[in-house]
Amino acid sequence: WDHGVYVALGEGVVVSGNNFTDVRRCIVIDGRNGVVVGNALYASNTGQLNYETGISVRNAYNAVVSGNSIRGAGAFIDCSVYTSSGATEIYGNVIANNSLWQTAPSAYIQSAIRLGAFATLCVNNNISNNFVYSQTPGTEGVVAMACSSATTPISGINNTFQNNTIVIGAANYGLVAVSMYNVLVCGNTFNFQCNAATSTTIDGMLFGACTNGLVANNFINFVSAGTNITFRAIDIAAGNTGMSVRNNVMDLSILTMTAPNYYVINSGTNCHLDSNQYSVAAPMSGLVSWPGGQATFDTNTANCLATSTIVISPKTIAAAQVQASVGVLVVAVGGRFTIATADGSAGAGDWYWAIR
């Protein structure tokens, strides 16, 4: 029952078209240019011995793991370094177009997809177009891109996570990315439908010790939740540098949000937020008319956080005259922004606005 296929120090190994039922660590290959494609892995028993229904590509260079269907306790795909082998690097691997249904936690790894564990160098790997459903609670992340290195501060370079669909059915982080340089996280969908027995805080995406990454065009949706969940959609923790977070959409309307930083927490250095949408129903831009005789007025929009940047420009001659003669101030407040003349005189005209 232990290992359906086990290959050590392989070169160009192909594992294709097989069915594995109730096998612990179904496929393990070690080496370069391996291909694991079109296999079906299934565990009917949720006992401890079958808690590792998965594919492990160890110390891999240019491996492809694609088109596999995995369902059961501890369903996983792992592309990491096997420490006892003495290897330190993984490079150029592709994990794509797989379907994973993780019905229970694993005794081996918590994540459904894991990249880079124990690697001192993890370069140019791609995780894309996978479907994952996970019922595993925890904090390691349903997907983990987390390198560890005693010799370099950044061990993950140019790795990509894009166009994946992740469904989170137990309280866990959607994605955890740690020690990544130029990481690209784009076009993914995270659907959360979970609660916890006690008060629990989870992140849609958590980034730690990452530099110059792009987090863009992702959709984070909380479908259903209980009262014990505190949720942070995107968490850029202290220690990140130069991260760009833009054009992400977060639909958290089912949650009772009491603070705007539940959407995006930006504790990094020189990290930038741009055009993120916090309410699907609310606009990101529009046109407002300055009420006659007033020096200040509010515009309500759920997409405005206290940390948002609001850009305004005059549409009419009257608005342009106000801007040229006295100047205009814009102050972002949670759920709204305020427009005011600089000297307290009455404003006028029509104004374009946009949240950046």
Side-chain angles (χ1 to χ4, degrees), residues 22-44:
D22 292 336
V23 178
R24 178 179 179 268
R25 302 190 196 179
C26 305
I27 300 171
V28 176
I29 64 171
D30 177 334
R32 298 172 179 262
N33 306 316
V35 175
V36 182
V37 59
N39 300 281
L41 289 62
Y42 173 70
S44 61

Side-chain angles (χ1 to χ4, degrees), residues 235-268:
D235 189 350
I236 308 296
N240 290 281
T241 303
M243 298 290 288
S244 178
V245 182
R246 60 179 65 180
N247 299 317
N248 299 285
V249 178
M250 290 150 266
D251 185 1
L252 312 181
S253 57
I254 193 169
L255 300 175
T256 302
M257 308 301 283
T258 58
N261 63 4
Y262 287 167
Y263 293 97
V264 178
I265 298 177
N266 182 11
S267 302

Side-chain angles (χ1 to χ4, degrees), residues 145-147 153-154 176-180 205-211 235-241 243:
M145 302 170 67
C147 297
I154 295 291
V176 175
V178 178
S179 191
M180 292 283 166
M205 293 186 281
L206 170 64
F207 296 88
C210 295
T211 301
D235 189 350
I236 308 296
N240 290 281
T241 303
M243 298 290 288

Side-chain angles (χ1 to χ4, degrees), residues 50-94:
N50 295 305
Y51 265 30
E52 302 174 16
T53 311
I55 298 170
S56 180
V57 285
R58 300 172 175 172
N59 316 324
Y61 273 59
N62 303 322
V64 175
V65 181
S66 181
N68 300 283
S69 177
I70 308 173
R71 180 184 176 95
F76 72 87
I77 296 174
D78 185 25
C79 182
S80 298
V81 164
Y82 189 48
T83 54
S84 64
S85 69
T88 59
E89 301 176 2
I90 56 176
Y91 183 94
N93 302 291
V94 175

